[in-house]
Amino acid sequence: QVQLVESGGGLVQAGGSLRLSCAASGSTFSINTMGWYRQAPGKERELVAAISSGDSTYYADSVKGRFTIPRDNAKNTLYLQMNSLKPEDTAMYYCAAGPRAPPKYWGQGTQVTVSS
């Protein structure tokens, strides 16, 4: 019903920036919330940032002031702007969406690696 495809991951040095993209297709009218999760080896998956249809946002304490979660409704695309990256940001990042929490739809993930 809804497909999510992430892109934009890669290798970057500490202090650098990356912008992840999540393109949504299908029955996107059913989406009220979208967000980004990440999971590093040996750690639990965590919610990084989320945005609602009303543009309210959430950020994990670890990324506040460094990451933002803009959205382009016309393009059905969610972004994660990642600035001042740290090695501890290294993880697989997943886009997720749904009418409500918990997410109903998930992308395949995109790897972000931050070197020191």
Side-chain angles (χ1 to χ4, degrees):
Q1 188 172 352
V2 173
Q3 297 80 44
L4 304 173
V5 179
E6 304 100 330
S7 63
L11 175 65
V12 64
Q13 290 189 334
S17 297
L18 283 174
R19 188 181 72 165
L20 307 183
S21 298
C22 173
S25 60
S27 302
T28 57
F29 59 84
S30 67
I31 298 174
N32 288 322
T33 61
M34 298 188 73
W36 291 92
Y37 289 75
R38 68 185 182 188
Q39 187 168 30
K43 305 192 74 173
E44 294 185 349
R45 182 174 295 188
E46 64 172 340
L47 177 62
V48 176
I51 188 168
S52 72
S53 59
D55 289 338
S56 62
T57 57
Y58 163 86
Y59 296 96
D61 288 342
S62 59
V63 306
K64 284 181 179 177
R66 300 189 298 120
F67 292 9
T68 58
I69 187 168
R71 179 181 62 200
D72 188 335
N73 290 329
K75 296 182 178 180
N76 287 323
T77 300
L78 179 74
Y79 303 94
L80 184 66
Q81 180 63 49
M82 311 166 70
N83 300 322
S84 301
L85 283 162
K86 304 175 180 179
E88 49 262 47
D89 295 318
T90 295
M92 184 72 73
Y93 284 72
Y94 299 90
C95 180
R100 63 192 66 83
K104 185 176 181 179
Y105 310 104
W106 291 84
Q108 295 293 315
T110 185
Q111 178 68 39
V112 172
T113 302
V114 184
S115 62
S116 60

